[in-house]
Amino acid sequence: MRHSVPSQVRRSLREVADDLAAWRKLRGLTQAQLADRSGVHRDTISRLERGDGGISLENLLRVLRGLGVLESVTRALDPHESDVGRLRSDEQLPQRVRPKRLSGDG
């Protein structure tokens, strides 16, 4: 069963697509050159730049590496780079997270 794409996700897909195209152009690369540099098919670059969903995380990371921005993205996702992550960095992360019971659950 396929779920509809939330509007915030659609908007982010479009923003990431525009940013990837801008990075490629700033680097002076064609889609074919970026594909070759990234080890993906040119159609993958085209789909990313159109904001199509369904591109694997691995292929996205390959393209980010090909653009020379992979480290910036992985650093941005590092929880210790956020205020919350730094505040809670001394806490032991649980191995599993169970859903919290809502009041009124029987």
Side-chain angles (χ1 to χ4, degrees):
M1 179 171 140
R2 187 133 187 175
H3 298 284
S4 64
V5 179
S7 62
Q8 288 177 308
V9 172
R10 277 195 315 272
R11 187 172 34 257
S12 292
L13 279 168
R14 183 73 256 147
E15 290 172 2
V16 168
D18 291 344
D19 290 344
L20 288 172
W23 272 112
R24 178 180 60 77
K25 291 171 184 176
L26 286 169
R27 299 280 193 238
L29 299 169
T30 65
Q31 287 184 343
Q33 288 170 321
L34 178 57
D36 185 55
R37 179 185 280 203
S38 303
V40 300
H41 196 275
R42 193 200 59 77
D43 288 345
T44 300
I45 304 298
S46 179
R47 289 179 60 205
L48 279 169
E49 291 186 2
R50 282 195 314 264
D52 289 356
I55 302 296
S56 74
L57 177 59
E58 179 182 347
N59 281 342
L60 173 60
L61 295 175
R62 285 172 175 265
V63 172
L64 293 171
R65 180 178 165 269
L67 289 168
V69 297
L70 178 59
E71 287 184 30
S72 298
V73 173
T74 55
R75 195 170 34 257
L77 292 173
D78 182 350
H80 294 102
E81 293 290 323
S82 72
D83 292 339
V84 172
R86 284 189 295 275
L87 286 171
R88 299 189 68 183
S89 65
D90 61 338
E91 294 180 23
Q92 178 72 32
L93 291 177
Q95 292 297 313
R96 298 178 78 181
V97 177
R98 290 185 169 68
K100 294 181 178 164
R101 285 185 57 137
L102 300 175
S103 60
D105 280 354

